[in-house]
mmCIF file of all heavy atoms in Angstrom:
data_model
loop_
_atom_site.group_PDB
_atom_site.id
_atom_site.type_symbol
_atom_site.label_atom_id
_atom_site.label_comp_id
_atom_site.label_asym_id
_atom_site.label_seq_id
_atom_site.Cartn_x
_atom_site.Cartn_y
_atom_site.Cartn_z
ATOM 1 N N VAL A 1162 -16.910 28.270 -40.157
ATOM 2 C CA VAL A 1162 -17.787 29.117 -39.363
ATOM 3 C C VAL A 1162 -17.404 28.908 -37.900
ATOM 4 O O VAL A 1162 -17.551 27.808 -37.364
ATOM 5 C CB VAL A 1162 -19.264 28.783 -39.592
ATOM 6 C CG1 VAL A 1162 -20.159 29.665 -38.715
ATOM 7 C CG2 VAL A 1162 -19.629 28.948 -41.066
ATOM 8 N N VAL A 1163 -16.904 29.960 -37.262
ATOM 9 C CA VAL A 1163 -16.320 29.844 -35.930
ATOM 10 C C VAL A 1163 -17.063 30.766 -34.970
ATOM 11 O O VAL A 1163 -17.184 31.969 -35.227
ATOM 12 C CB VAL A 1163 -14.818 30.206 -35.954
ATOM 13 C CG1 VAL A 1163 -14.218 30.107 -34.558
ATOM 14 C CG2 VAL A 1163 -14.069 29.311 -36.932
ATOM 15 N N GLY A 1164 -17.553 30.209 -33.884
ATOM 16 C CA GLY A 1164 -18.183 31.020 -32.852
ATOM 17 C C GLY A 1164 -17.141 31.586 -31.899
ATOM 18 O O GLY A 1164 -16.079 30.994 -31.677
ATOM 19 N N SER A 1165 -17.450 32.757 -31.335
ATOM 20 C CA SER A 1165 -16.515 33.397 -30.406
ATOM 21 C C SER A 1165 -17.312 34.193 -29.386
ATOM 22 O O SER A 1165 -18.210 34.960 -29.756
ATOM 23 C CB SER A 1165 -15.564 34.324 -31.178
ATOM 24 O OG SER A 1165 -14.532 34.814 -30.353
ATOM 25 N N THR A 1166 -16.999 33.996 -28.117
ATOM 26 C CA THR A 1166 -17.704 34.685 -27.038
ATOM 27 C C THR A 1166 -16.695 35.304 -26.076
ATOM 28 O O THR A 1166 -15.841 34.600 -25.530
ATOM 29 C CB THR A 1166 -18.604 33.716 -26.251
ATOM 30 O OG1 THR A 1166 -19.630 33.226 -27.108
ATOM 31 C CG2 THR A 1166 -19.241 34.398 -25.059
ATOM 32 N N MET A 1167 -16.788 36.623 -25.898
ATOM 33 C CA MET A 1167 -15.953 37.341 -24.941
ATOM 34 C C MET A 1167 -14.487 36.951 -25.094
ATOM 35 O O MET A 1167 -13.975 36.902 -26.202
ATOM 36 C CB MET A 1167 -16.454 37.099 -23.506
ATOM 37 C CG MET A 1167 -17.822 37.672 -23.242
ATOM 38 S SD MET A 1167 -17.861 39.461 -23.152
ATOM 39 C CE MET A 1167 -17.080 39.766 -21.586
ATOM 40 N N GLY A 1168 -13.806 36.668 -23.980
ATOM 41 C CA GLY A 1168 -12.409 36.279 -23.999
ATOM 42 C C GLY A 1168 -11.986 35.865 -22.607
ATOM 43 O O GLY A 1168 -12.713 36.071 -21.629
ATOM 44 N N SER A 1169 -10.815 35.300 -22.499
ATOM 45 C CA SER A 1169 -10.328 34.797 -21.220
ATOM 46 C C SER A 1169 -9.639 35.899 -20.423
ATOM 47 O O SER A 1169 -9.310 36.968 -20.951
ATOM 48 C CB SER A 1169 -9.346 33.647 -21.445
ATOM 49 O OG SER A 1169 -8.146 34.137 -22.047
ATOM 50 N N LEU A 1170 -9.397 35.618 -19.148
ATOM 51 C CA LEU A 1170 -8.648 36.547 -18.302
ATOM 52 C C LEU A 1170 -7.254 36.766 -18.867
ATOM 53 O O LEU A 1170 -6.744 37.902 -18.882
ATOM 54 C CB LEU A 1170 -8.565 35.995 -16.874
ATOM 55 C CG LEU A 1170 -7.831 36.856 -15.852
ATOM 56 C CD1 LEU A 1170 -8.628 38.115 -15.557
ATOM 57 C CD2 LEU A 1170 -7.583 36.070 -14.561
ATOM 58 N N ALA A 1171 -6.617 35.690 -19.357
ATOM 59 C CA ALA A 1171 -5.277 35.814 -19.925
ATOM 60 C C ALA A 1171 -5.295 36.717 -21.160
ATOM 61 O O ALA A 1171 -4.397 37.543 -21.364
ATOM 62 C CB ALA A 1171 -4.719 34.432 -20.279
ATOM 63 N N GLU A 1172 -6.329 36.584 -22.011
ATOM 64 C CA GLU A 1172 -6.428 37.432 -23.194
ATOM 65 C C GLU A 1172 -6.663 38.893 -22.806
ATOM 66 O O GLU A 1172 -6.129 39.799 -23.450
ATOM 67 C CB GLU A 1172 -7.557 36.930 -24.097
ATOM 68 C CG GLU A 1172 -7.209 35.638 -24.828
ATOM 69 C CD GLU A 1172 -8.394 35.013 -25.525
ATOM 70 O OE1 GLU A 1172 -9.514 35.016 -24.952
ATOM 71 O OE2 GLU A 1172 -8.210 34.503 -26.650
ATOM 72 N N LEU A 1173 -7.445 39.120 -21.760
ATOM 73 C CA LEU A 1173 -7.658 40.491 -21.298
ATOM 74 C C LEU A 1173 -6.340 41.117 -20.844
ATOM 75 O O LEU A 1173 -6.058 42.286 -21.130
ATOM 76 C CB LEU A 1173 -8.674 40.517 -20.162
ATOM 77 C CG LEU A 1173 -8.976 41.898 -19.559
ATOM 78 C CD1 LEU A 1173 -9.484 42.864 -20.617
ATOM 79 C CD2 LEU A 1173 -9.975 41.771 -18.413
ATOM 80 N N GLY A 1174 -5.520 40.348 -20.154
ATOM 81 C CA GLY A 1174 -4.218 40.844 -19.739
ATOM 82 C C GLY A 1174 -3.333 41.181 -20.920
ATOM 83 O O GLY A 1174 -2.653 42.224 -20.939
ATOM 84 N N ARG A 1175 -3.335 40.321 -21.938
ATOM 85 C CA ARG A 1175 -2.524 40.584 -23.132
ATOM 86 C C ARG A 1175 -3.042 41.805 -23.876
ATOM 87 O O ARG A 1175 -2.252 42.609 -24.400
ATOM 88 C CB ARG A 1175 -2.517 39.347 -24.045
ATOM 89 C CG ARG A 1175 -1.763 38.163 -23.471
ATOM 90 C CD ARG A 1175 -1.424 37.138 -24.544
ATOM 91 N NE ARG A 1175 -2.614 36.466 -25.052
ATOM 92 C CZ ARG A 1175 -3.116 35.351 -24.554
ATOM 93 N NH1 ARG A 1175 -2.561 34.787 -23.485
ATOM 94 N NH2 ARG A 1175 -4.179 34.780 -25.092
ATOM 95 N N LEU A 1176 -4.363 41.960 -23.947
ATOM 96 C CA LEU A 1176 -4.949 43.120 -24.613
ATOM 97 C C LEU A 1176 -4.545 44.412 -23.908
ATOM 98 O O LEU A 1176 -4.175 45.394 -24.566
ATOM 99 C CB LEU A 1176 -6.472 42.980 -24.637
ATOM 100 C CG LEU A 1176 -7.272 44.208 -25.092
ATOM 101 C CD1 LEU A 1176 -6.889 44.621 -26.504
ATOM 102 C CD2 LEU A 1176 -8.768 43.924 -24.994
ATOM 103 N N ALA A 1177 -4.610 44.423 -22.592
ATOM 104 C CA ALA A 1177 -4.234 45.616 -21.836
ATOM 105 C C ALA A 1177 -2.767 45.975 -22.080
ATOM 106 O O ALA A 1177 -2.426 47.149 -22.281
ATOM 107 C CB ALA A 1177 -4.495 45.399 -20.347
ATOM 108 N N ARG A 1178 -1.903 44.959 -22.101
ATOM 109 C CA ARG A 1178 -0.478 45.219 -22.349
ATOM 110 C C ARG A 1178 -0.240 45.690 -23.783
ATOM 111 O O ARG A 1178 0.627 46.533 -24.028
ATOM 112 C CB ARG A 1178 0.342 43.960 -22.043
ATOM 113 C CG ARG A 1178 0.375 43.595 -20.561
ATOM 114 C CD ARG A 1178 1.404 42.524 -20.262
ATOM 115 N NE ARG A 1178 1.077 41.258 -20.897
ATOM 116 C CZ ARG A 1178 0.289 40.324 -20.355
ATOM 117 N NH1 ARG A 1178 -0.280 40.546 -19.173
ATOM 118 N NH2 ARG A 1178 0.055 39.184 -20.974
ATOM 119 N N LEU A 1179 -1.013 45.150 -24.732
ATOM 120 C CA LEU A 1179 -0.895 45.579 -26.124
ATOM 121 C C LEU A 1179 -1.222 47.061 -26.258
ATOM 122 O O LEU A 1179 -0.499 47.817 -26.929
ATOM 123 C CB LEU A 1179 -1.830 44.744 -26.999
ATOM 124 C CG LEU A 1179 -1.884 45.104 -28.487
ATOM 125 C CD1 LEU A 1179 -0.539 44.834 -29.156
ATOM 126 C CD2 LEU A 1179 -2.995 44.331 -29.187
ATOM 127 N N CYS A 1180 -2.292 47.499 -25.615
ATOM 128 C CA CYS A 1180 -2.654 48.913 -25.665
ATOM 129 C C CYS A 1180 -1.571 49.778 -25.026
ATOM 130 O O CYS A 1180 -1.237 50.859 -25.535
ATOM 131 C CB CYS A 1180 -3.988 49.134 -24.954
ATOM 132 S SG CYS A 1180 -5.428 48.460 -25.816
ATOM 133 N N ALA A 1181 -1.017 49.299 -23.932
ATOM 134 C CA ALA A 1181 0.000 50.074 -23.221
ATOM 135 C C ALA A 1181 1.271 50.226 -24.042
ATOM 136 O O ALA A 1181 1.875 51.309 -24.086
ATOM 137 C CB ALA A 1181 0.305 49.425 -21.879
ATOM 138 N N THR A 1182 1.686 49.169 -24.716
ATOM 139 C CA THR A 1182 2.978 49.189 -25.402
ATOM 140 C C THR A 1182 2.907 49.815 -26.794
ATOM 141 O O THR A 1182 3.916 50.336 -27.288
ATOM 142 C CB THR A 1182 3.567 47.774 -25.525
ATOM 143 O OG1 THR A 1182 2.623 46.927 -26.194
ATOM 144 C CG2 THR A 1182 3.859 47.192 -24.149
ATOM 145 N N THR A 1183 1.752 49.771 -27.427
ATOM 146 C CA THR A 1183 1.640 50.280 -28.799
ATOM 147 C C THR A 1183 1.093 51.693 -28.861
ATOM 148 O O THR A 1183 1.188 52.348 -29.912
ATOM 149 C CB THR A 1183 0.715 49.384 -29.641
ATOM 150 O OG1 THR A 1183 -0.603 49.401 -29.072
ATOM 151 C CG2 THR A 1183 1.244 47.957 -29.694
ATOM 152 N N GLY A 1184 0.476 52.182 -27.791
ATOM 153 C CA GLY A 1184 -0.177 53.480 -27.836
ATOM 154 C C GLY A 1184 -1.582 53.419 -28.402
ATOM 155 O O GLY A 1184 -2.249 54.453 -28.531
ATOM 156 N N MET A 1185 -2.051 52.219 -28.753
ATOM 157 C CA MET A 1185 -3.401 52.051 -29.266
ATOM 158 C C MET A 1185 -4.408 52.288 -28.138
ATOM 159 O O MET A 1185 -4.201 51.848 -27.014
ATOM 160 C CB MET A 1185 -3.537 50.622 -29.806
ATOM 161 C CG MET A 1185 -4.849 50.275 -30.446
ATOM 162 S SD MET A 1185 -4.712 48.672 -31.289
ATOM 163 C CE MET A 1185 -3.932 47.669 -30.013
ATOM 164 N N ARG A 1186 -5.488 52.990 -28.430
ATOM 165 C CA ARG A 1186 -6.464 53.336 -27.400
ATOM 166 C C ARG A 1186 -7.882 53.105 -27.909
ATOM 167 O O ARG A 1186 -8.181 53.364 -29.084
ATOM 168 C CB ARG A 1186 -6.323 54.806 -26.992
ATOM 169 C CG ARG A 1186 -4.985 55.170 -26.388
ATOM 170 C CD ARG A 1186 -4.804 54.559 -25.016
ATOM 171 N NE ARG A 1186 -3.541 54.965 -24.406
ATOM 172 C CZ ARG A 1186 -2.408 54.287 -24.506
ATOM 173 N NH1 ARG A 1186 -2.378 53.163 -25.212
ATOM 174 N NH2 ARG A 1186 -1.310 54.708 -23.907
ATOM 175 N N PRO A 1187 -8.776 52.651 -27.036
ATOM 176 C CA PRO A 1187 -10.194 52.559 -27.411
ATOM 177 C C PRO A 1187 -10.753 53.925 -27.772
ATOM 178 O O PRO A 1187 -10.373 54.942 -27.179
ATOM 179 C CB PRO A 1187 -10.857 52.005 -26.144
ATOM 180 C CG PRO A 1187 -9.764 51.288 -25.414
ATOM 181 C CD PRO A 1187 -8.518 52.079 -25.697
ATOM 182 N N LEU A 1188 -11.651 53.929 -28.735
ATOM 183 C CA LEU A 1188 -12.312 55.161 -29.143
ATOM 184 C C LEU A 1188 -13.497 55.408 -28.216
ATOM 185 O O LEU A 1188 -14.452 54.631 -28.200
ATOM 186 C CB LEU A 1188 -12.787 55.050 -30.592
ATOM 187 C CG LEU A 1188 -13.574 56.242 -31.146
ATOM 188 C CD1 LEU A 1188 -12.714 57.494 -31.157
ATOM 189 C CD2 LEU A 1188 -14.101 55.928 -32.541
ATOM 190 N N VAL A 1189 -13.423 56.470 -27.433
ATOM 191 C CA VAL A 1189 -14.487 56.832 -26.499
ATOM 192 C C VAL A 1189 -15.348 57.916 -27.146
ATOM 193 O O VAL A 1189 -14.863 59.016 -27.422
ATOM 194 C CB VAL A 1189 -13.912 57.321 -25.154
ATOM 195 C CG1 VAL A 1189 -15.042 57.774 -24.223
ATOM 196 C CG2 VAL A 1189 -13.086 56.222 -24.502
ATOM 197 N N ASP A 1190 -16.600 57.609 -27.404
ATOM 198 C CA ASP A 1190 -17.518 58.558 -28.031
ATOM 199 C C ASP A 1190 -17.889 59.677 -27.071
ATOM 200 O O ASP A 1190 -17.908 60.846 -27.431
ATOM 201 C CB ASP A 1190 -18.774 57.820 -28.501
ATOM 202 C CG ASP A 1190 -19.767 58.722 -29.211
ATOM 203 O OD1 ASP A 1190 -20.449 59.516 -28.519
ATOM 204 O OD2 ASP A 1190 -19.891 58.631 -30.440
ATOM 205 N N ASP A 1191 -18.182 59.304 -25.791
ATOM 206 C CA ASP A 1191 -18.612 60.298 -24.819
ATOM 207 C C ASP A 1191 -18.490 59.703 -23.425
ATOM 208 O O ASP A 1191 -18.475 58.475 -23.258
ATOM 209 C CB ASP A 1191 -20.057 60.719 -25.079
ATOM 210 C CG ASP A 1191 -20.421 62.058 -24.461
ATOM 211 O OD1 ASP A 1191 -19.538 62.692 -23.839
ATOM 212 O OD2 ASP A 1191 -21.587 62.468 -24.580
ATOM 213 N N VAL A 1192 -18.401 60.572 -22.434
ATOM 214 C CA VAL A 1192 -18.358 60.176 -21.023
ATOM 215 C C VAL A 1192 -19.513 60.866 -20.308
ATOM 216 O O VAL A 1192 -19.648 62.094 -20.385
ATOM 217 C CB VAL A 1192 -17.015 60.541 -20.366
ATOM 218 C CG1 VAL A 1192 -17.002 60.103 -18.906
ATOM 219 C CG2 VAL A 1192 -15.855 59.904 -21.131
ATOM 220 N N LEU A 1193 -20.339 60.088 -19.606
ATOM 221 C CA LEU A 1193 -21.531 60.596 -18.945
ATOM 222 C C LEU A 1193 -21.496 60.280 -17.457
ATOM 223 O O LEU A 1193 -20.913 59.269 -17.054
ATOM 224 C CB LEU A 1193 -22.794 59.955 -19.548
ATOM 225 C CG LEU A 1193 -23.007 60.102 -21.051
ATOM 226 C CD1 LEU A 1193 -24.160 59.211 -21.490
ATOM 227 C CD2 LEU A 1193 -23.281 61.546 -21.404
ATOM 228 N N PRO A 1194 -22.136 61.091 -16.625
ATOM 229 C CA PRO A 1194 -22.313 60.710 -15.224
ATOM 230 C C PRO A 1194 -23.365 59.605 -15.115
ATOM 231 O O PRO A 1194 -24.230 59.467 -15.993
ATOM 232 C CB PRO A 1194 -22.802 62.005 -14.565
ATOM 233 C CG PRO A 1194 -23.448 62.767 -15.663
ATOM 234 C CD PRO A 1194 -22.695 62.430 -16.918
ATOM 235 N N LEU A 1195 -23.297 58.832 -14.054
ATOM 236 C CA LEU A 1195 -24.225 57.718 -13.867
ATOM 237 C C LEU A 1195 -25.676 58.180 -13.880
ATOM 238 O O LEU A 1195 -26.560 57.484 -14.379
ATOM 239 C CB LEU A 1195 -23.911 56.987 -12.553
ATOM 240 C CG LEU A 1195 -24.804 55.796 -12.206
ATOM 241 C CD1 LEU A 1195 -24.778 54.741 -13.301
ATOM 242 C CD2 LEU A 1195 -24.377 55.178 -10.883
ATOM 243 N N ALA A 1196 -25.937 59.361 -13.363
ATOM 244 C CA ALA A 1196 -27.312 59.867 -13.322
ATOM 245 C C ALA A 1196 -27.897 60.029 -14.723
ATOM 246 O O ALA A 1196 -29.121 60.062 -14.885
ATOM 247 C CB ALA A 1196 -27.358 61.200 -12.571
ATOM 248 N N GLU A 1197 -27.049 60.119 -15.766
ATOM 249 C CA GLU A 1197 -27.521 60.302 -17.140
ATOM 250 C C GLU A 1197 -27.399 59.029 -17.974
ATOM 251 O O GLU A 1197 -27.382 59.076 -19.203
ATOM 252 C CB GLU A 1197 -26.746 61.437 -17.810
ATOM 253 C CG GLU A 1197 -26.946 62.791 -17.140
ATOM 254 C CD GLU A 1197 -26.119 63.895 -17.774
ATOM 255 O OE1 GLU A 1197 -25.597 63.676 -18.893
ATOM 256 O OE2 GLU A 1197 -25.983 64.974 -17.162
ATOM 257 N N VAL A 1198 -27.354 57.871 -17.308
ATOM 258 C CA VAL A 1198 -27.168 56.616 -18.027
ATOM 259 C C VAL A 1198 -28.326 56.330 -18.977
ATOM 260 O O VAL A 1198 -28.139 55.699 -20.025
ATOM 261 C CB VAL A 1198 -26.942 55.448 -17.040
ATOM 262 C CG1 VAL A 1198 -28.222 55.108 -16.290
ATOM 263 C CG2 VAL A 1198 -26.412 54.220 -17.765
ATOM 264 N N ALA A 1199 -29.528 56.779 -18.657
ATOM 265 C CA ALA A 1199 -30.668 56.549 -19.546
ATOM 266 C C ALA A 1199 -30.428 57.186 -20.910
ATOM 267 O O ALA A 1199 -30.753 56.599 -21.952
ATOM 268 C CB ALA A 1199 -31.952 57.099 -18.918
ATOM 269 N N GLU A 1200 -29.849 58.393 -20.929
ATOM 270 C CA GLU A 1200 -29.543 59.051 -22.192
ATOM 271 C C GLU A 1200 -28.484 58.263 -22.962
ATOM 272 O O GLU A 1200 -28.578 58.121 -24.196
ATOM 273 C CB GLU A 1200 -29.067 60.479 -21.940
ATOM 274 C CG GLU A 1200 -28.510 61.211 -23.160
ATOM 275 C CD GLU A 1200 -29.509 61.357 -24.303
ATOM 276 O OE1 GLU A 1200 -30.720 61.150 -24.076
ATOM 277 O OE2 GLU A 1200 -29.063 61.665 -25.432
ATOM 278 N N GLY A 1201 -27.491 57.730 -22.269
ATOM 279 C CA GLY A 1201 -26.478 56.924 -22.934
ATOM 280 C C GLY A 1201 -27.070 55.667 -23.554
ATOM 281 O O GLY A 1201 -26.759 55.311 -24.702
ATOM 282 N N LEU A 1202 -27.942 54.983 -22.822
ATOM 283 C CA LEU A 1202 -28.566 53.772 -23.344
ATOM 284 C C LEU A 1202 -29.507 54.099 -24.503
ATOM 285 O O LEU A 1202 -29.630 53.316 -25.444
ATOM 286 C CB LEU A 1202 -29.312 53.053 -22.224
ATOM 287 C CG LEU A 1202 -28.404 52.404 -21.166
ATOM 288 C CD1 LEU A 1202 -29.212 51.983 -19.949
ATOM 289 C CD2 LEU A 1202 -27.653 51.210 -21.751
ATOM 290 N N ARG A 1203 -30.175 55.251 -24.437
ATOM 291 C CA ARG A 1203 -31.035 55.655 -25.551
ATOM 292 C C ARG A 1203 -30.201 55.859 -26.813
ATOM 293 O O ARG A 1203 -30.586 55.420 -27.908
ATOM 294 C CB ARG A 1203 -31.774 56.954 -25.203
ATOM 295 C CG ARG A 1203 -32.774 57.392 -26.286
ATOM 296 C CD ARG A 1203 -33.065 58.867 -26.231
ATOM 297 N NE ARG A 1203 -31.898 59.704 -26.505
ATOM 298 C CZ ARG A 1203 -31.404 59.911 -27.724
ATOM 299 N NH1 ARG A 1203 -31.950 59.333 -28.787
ATOM 300 N NH2 ARG A 1203 -30.337 60.682 -27.891
ATOM 301 N N ARG A 1204 -29.060 56.529 -26.688
ATOM 302 C CA ARG A 1204 -28.191 56.750 -27.836
ATOM 303 C C ARG A 1204 -27.649 55.433 -28.379
ATOM 304 O O ARG A 1204 -27.533 55.252 -29.601
ATOM 305 C CB ARG A 1204 -27.040 57.689 -27.438
ATOM 306 C CG ARG A 1204 -27.492 59.124 -27.203
ATOM 307 C CD ARG A 1204 -26.406 59.964 -26.546
ATOM 308 N NE ARG A 1204 -25.160 59.961 -27.300
ATOM 309 C CZ ARG A 1204 -24.039 60.517 -26.872
ATOM 310 N NH1 ARG A 1204 -24.011 61.123 -25.679
ATOM 311 N NH2 ARG A 1204 -22.950 60.500 -27.609
ATOM 312 N N LEU A 1205 -27.320 54.507 -27.482
ATOM 313 C CA LEU A 1205 -26.825 53.199 -27.904
ATOM 314 C C LEU A 1205 -27.913 52.449 -28.663
ATOM 315 O O LEU A 1205 -27.656 51.856 -29.722
ATOM 316 C CB LEU A 1205 -26.377 52.404 -26.675
ATOM 317 C CG LEU A 1205 -25.600 51.117 -26.921
ATOM 318 C CD1 LEU A 1205 -24.275 51.411 -27.608
ATOM 319 C CD2 LEU A 1205 -25.354 50.385 -25.607
ATOM 320 N N GLU A 1206 -29.131 52.477 -28.157
ATOM 321 C CA GLU A 1206 -30.260 51.799 -28.803
ATOM 322 C C GLU A 1206 -30.558 52.413 -30.164
ATOM 323 O O GLU A 1206 -30.903 51.693 -31.115
ATOM 324 C CB GLU A 1206 -31.488 51.906 -27.889
ATOM 325 C CG GLU A 1206 -32.793 51.453 -28.501
ATOM 326 C CD GLU A 1206 -32.915 49.949 -28.645
ATOM 327 O OE1 GLU A 1206 -31.947 49.229 -28.310
ATOM 328 O OE2 GLU A 1206 -33.977 49.482 -29.084
ATOM 329 N N ALA A 1207 -30.404 53.722 -30.287
ATOM 330 C CA ALA A 1207 -30.718 54.415 -31.536
ATOM 331 C C ALA A 1207 -29.591 54.338 -32.564
ATOM 332 O O ALA A 1207 -29.746 54.831 -33.689
ATOM 333 C CB ALA A 1207 -31.042 55.882 -31.245
ATOM 334 N N GLY A 1208 -28.453 53.746 -32.196
ATOM 335 C CA GLY A 1208 -27.337 53.658 -33.122
ATOM 336 C C GLY A 1208 -26.626 54.974 -33.336
ATOM 337 O O GLY A 1208 -26.046 55.216 -34.406
#
């Protein structure tokens, strides 16, 4: 049983390079303006 929290700066750098070199990309569900952040948080809370 192994705990894991976030990651290091070095791991973040490796992750960014991995995405760049492989073409792998995060899945973005939607992009909202800051003024509509309440709607985004509501959707996140509702699953």
Side-chain angles (χ1 to χ4, degrees):
V1162 178
V1163 179
S1165 188
T1166 295
M1167 294 289 287
S1169 68
L1170 181 69
E1172 287 170 320
L1173 179 58
R1175 291 197 291 270
L1176 170 59
R1178 292 191 295 273
L1179 177 65
C1180 290
T1182 56
T1183 62
M1185 183 169 48
R1186 298 290 183 268
L1188 177 63
V1189 177
D1190 182 285
D1191 200 1
V1192 181
L1193 304 170
L1195 180 58
E1197 297 177 14
V1198 71
E1200 171 60 15
L1202 290 168
R1203 184 203 64 77
R1204 289 169 56 186
L1205 191 63
E1206 171 73 357

